[in-house]
Amino acid sequence: MKILRLILLIAHIGIFFLLVGMLLNAYVPPKVFPWFNLLSLGFPFLIISYVILTIFWIISWKKRAFVFFFLGLLFFNPVLRWVNFSGDKSSDKPDNTIKVVSFNARNGTFGVKDVEAFVNNQNADVVLLQEYGGNKEYHFENLNEAPQTPIIAIFSKHKIIGHKQLINSDYEYNNAYATQTDIEIKGKTYRFINLYLQPYKFEKSMVKLNGSSDEDEKKVKNIIKRLIPTFKMHQEQIVEVRKAIDHSPYPVILAGDFNSVPNSYEYYHLVDGLQDAFVEAGNGSATSFHDYKLPIRIDYIFTSKSISPTSYKVDRSVKISDHYPIIASFNLSK
């Protein structure tokens, strides 16, 4: 039993340092050391293992349980970015709210009519689509469309007064897109940034392990070979987005498919100076990508701190894409 406890203690310490390494994404860019960003992908499994081992020490009446418990508080905020119970605040100040919908429509391959029906049923003020399908024609009720790009689109029931493309794609190497759209709402202008960072371009067969040690090892190596360069591309791509946020004369709402999980380099550097609407007003799990049956959150809505998130929902009642739509309400009176 002593040997088992020693092994578990070493494992627990190792997991702790891996989690600390993940926190360093706030400071260390992928071009310097991409492996920290890799740890963010495994955060749900690392933190679950950490909690289970902590409970084991508590049950075993070991003093080290208190040490691991208090050290675990370092990861409280990272957990809230995945699972949160802030609760709906929409009844606090309902007089000046807007509703925003954002989701990756996967080029309408699940059905353009289904996407239309969903959006029209939401009666949203602003809708941001990623992978909307440049050759698809959507007919949304009472929504005006900003100038199109091949991958992303934004629709608003309010007056669009400015639009600009932030990331120019070459369609081969760089598949990222970002636009800023200034929209006048109730006499005040807000800047909406629609973002689609470089995808990893995985297929299910590429990430599904089949039990063969040689084939699985090859798959893991190929996965890492795709991840590391993409991390570095993301670092470059978010530079223009940060400029649009930092130099904006208007409050900002940033939304989209970031192709990055919480606690990643991308997350820390995009949310800087903003607030995560899910952390502020979310309830339950923030998992938004459901194709791999794993807890993967890559869709977000961030806002300036002058905008108050009052509700945030991942709508799992519909499957009109491999992403679930995210729906949030904001109070503009703050």
Side-chain angles (χ1 to χ4, degrees), residues 108-209:
T109 53
F110 283 53
V112 169
K113 294 298 182 183
D114 291 333
V115 174
E116 288 178 346
F118 171 79
V119 171
N120 289 332
N121 188 52
Q122 295 303 313
N123 190 29
D125 292 271
V126 179
V127 176
L128 303 98
L129 299 183
Q130 305 84 43
E131 286 195 77
Y132 80 104
N135 62 341
K136 302 292 194 306
E137 289 189 9
Y138 296 96
H139 301 284
F140 298 139
E141 298 173 0
N142 303 316
L143 292 175
N144 302 311
E145 183 176 4
Q148 293 185 356
T149 62
I151 296 293
I152 58 179
I154 184 168
F155 304 83
S156 171
K157 66 168 56 173
H158 303 278
K159 184 179 180 181
I160 297 172
I161 62 175
H163 183 82
K164 177 183 177 181
Q165 188 163 327
L166 299 175
I167 299 178
N168 296 309
S169 173
D170 59 17
Y171 301 99
E172 293 181 6
Y173 176 71
N174 183 352
N175 297 122
Y177 296 83
T179 59
Q180 69 177 39
T181 305
D182 296 336
I183 300 176
E184 184 180 304
I185 304 174
K186 300 177 181 179
K188 188 175 181 179
T189 302
Y190 297 85
R191 175 160 294 174
F192 287 79
I193 299 177
N194 193 2
L195 176 61
Y196 177 74
L197 285 181
Q198 181 74 22
Y200 297 103
K201 298 182 179 180
F202 285 128
E203 300 293 337
K204 283 185 180 180
S205 58
M206 299 168 62
V207 299
K208 186 177 181 180
L209 304 181

Side-chain angles (χ1 to χ4, degrees), residues 55-74:
I55 293 173
F56 173 79
W57 299 127
I58 293 174
I59 294 173
S60 301
W61 290 95
K62 295 294 181 180
K63 293 181 180 179
R64 67 194 65 159
F66 297 99
V67 175
F68 284 114
F69 174 81
F70 287 110
L71 289 176
L73 295 178
L74 289 172

Side-chain angles (χ1 to χ4, degrees), residues 19 41 61 66 89 125 145 202 246 249 307 310:
L19 288 168
L41 294 171
W61 290 95
F66 297 99
K89 304 174 184 176
D125 292 271
E145 183 176 4
F202 285 128
D246 296 337
I307 300 172
T310 57

